[in-house]
Amino acid sequence: MLRVGLTGGLGSGKSTAARLFAALGARVLQSDAIGRELMEPGQPIYDGMVAHFGLGVVRPDGTLDRAALARIAFAEGRVEELNAIAHPLVIERQMVLTEEIFQREPHAVVIVESALIFETNYGSVDGAGWQRRFDRIILVTAPEEVKIARFVARSSGGKAISEEQRAEFEDEARRRLAQQISDEQKSALSDYVLTNGGALTELEWQVDQLWPILEAAA
């Protein structure tokens, strides 16, 4: 078995890399998807957010208002409060799902896609850090201007936007990137670095070269 952490800053393209690895046979767990599941009404992150931040983060339909939480986290500078609730629960779920996969497939390569592998202060429920949760770390990098442009495109849904809206999205991207450590620092902690500043075919080639190495390690 092999436990791999796949990380990268906002707009780096780590989700694209994860899809490419999945197509080759990796078992991919997405932290964002796990977080969304645990944010549903009645789930532990939902309960924790409402208890901590109040009913102002609940939409009329009873679901969590993710936009309100984002404003609290990034605009109000309370991201650590949010992380303290969400991260331990997401990491615990990752570990449970990983173990279930290995019970079925002892030689599987399980890749956990997460933006904040190095940044989180909540390594696991027993205090273990990322070094104990992963056998290998893959970092996906891209130039900052590319990351910001990708965030703007995603946030706008591909629609035409005003210069004022573009500036707002760019400022939001910079605020979020400021919460993450630099690619240079992450590179020093990673086993493999994939560069994703150009064409998709370049990333595909790098993933294809790395996959047999991961398989052999598993």
Side-chain angles (χ1 to χ4, degrees), residues 159-187:
K159 299 177 182 178
I161 57 175
S162 67
E163 287 304 312
E164 182 179 358
Q165 289 175 308
R166 181 176 302 278
E168 289 177 359
F169 286 140
E170 289 176 349
D171 288 344
E172 177 66 15
R174 292 188 180 94
R175 278 196 296 270
R176 296 193 183 199
L177 286 168
Q179 300 288 335
Q180 303 173 0
I181 65 175
S182 69
D183 282 351
E184 289 74 19
Q185 292 172 289
K186 290 177 182 177
S187 295

Side-chain angles (χ1 to χ4, degrees), residues 118-199:
F118 300 124
E119 289 86 347
T120 183
N121 295 320
Y122 310 96
S124 74
V125 291
D126 66 357
W130 59 266
Q131 297 95 331
R132 285 180 57 188
R133 291 194 292 122
F134 299 112
D135 304 306
R136 302 287 191 279
I137 297 289
I138 301 172
L139 172 66
V140 184
T141 68
E144 183 165 306
E145 63 271 18
V146 174
K147 293 179 181 178
I148 292 172
R150 287 172 178 163
F151 178 82
V152 171
R154 185 174 66 206
S155 299
S156 64
K159 299 177 182 178
I161 57 175
S162 67
E163 287 304 312
E164 182 179 358
Q165 289 175 308
R166 181 176 302 278
E168 289 177 359
F169 286 140
E170 289 176 349
D171 288 344
E172 177 66 15
R174 292 188 180 94
R175 278 196 296 270
R176 296 193 183 199
L177 286 168
Q179 300 288 335
Q180 303 173 0
I181 65 175
S182 69
D183 282 351
E184 289 74 19
Q185 292 172 289
K186 290 177 182 177
S187 295
L189 299 170
S190 301
D191 298 286
Y192 311 106
V193 178
L194 307 178
T195 57
N196 186 34

Side-chain angles (χ1 to χ4, degrees), residues 96-117:
V96 169
L97 293 173
T98 296
E99 185 57 34
E100 288 177 355
I101 292 170
F102 287 145
Q103 290 295 323
R104 300 191 306 268
E105 306 173 51
H107 299 293
V109 176
V110 175
I111 295 180
V112 174
E113 177 201 336
S114 175
L116 302 175
I117 286 176

Side-chain angles (χ1 to χ4, degrees), residues 35-47:
R36 286 193 295 272
E37 176 187 338
L38 297 179
M39 291 174 79
E40 291 296 319
Q43 294 296 315
I45 292 180
Y46 179 97
D47 294 341

